[in-house]
Amino acid sequence: LSMSHGTSAYRLGLIWLQSASGTFVLWLTCVALFYHFINGIRFLLLDIGKTDSREAMKLSAKLVIFSTVLFAAVWAVIL
């Protein structure tokens, strides 16, 4: 969006993204999108009947949380 407002706005946006708060917002957005994507797959499996039992639903929820925490940790190191 800042590119459409000219080079000075683009530079300002780039400086903000490279700051600690900008990096945190980028990290938080990526983690939220990953969680949403993985949980969507979980609910698709629920819709087709792959997680009918209560134990399978609990396991799939734990897997979603574990994979999101792992993704968040790896992404924190990368950024």
Side-chain angles (χ1 to χ4, degrees):
L1 183 64
S2 64
M3 281 189 356
S4 65
H5 295 288
T7 58
S8 62
Y10 175 74
R11 282 192 205 113
L12 184 64
L14 194 59
I15 289 169
W16 182 79
L17 276 176
Q18 292 173 344
S19 71
S21 59
T23 302
F24 178 72
V25 168
L26 180 63
W27 175 81
L28 196 62
T29 302
C30 289
V31 171
L33 287 173
F34 180 81
Y35 173 78
H36 186 73
F37 177 72
I38 295 297
N39 213 27
I41 292 172
R42 175 181 173 236
F43 276 98
L44 284 175
L45 292 174
L46 178 69
D47 286 344
I48 63 173
K50 294 292 183 185
T51 56
D52 285 340
S53 69
R54 190 167 183 86
E55 292 81 24
M57 289 180 66
K58 286 181 181 180
L59 177 64
S60 67
K62 289 177 184 177
L63 284 172
V64 166
I65 292 171
F66 174 75
S67 63
T68 303
V69 168
L70 183 65
F71 176 82
V74 168
W75 201 242
V77 170
I78 290 174
L79 286 179

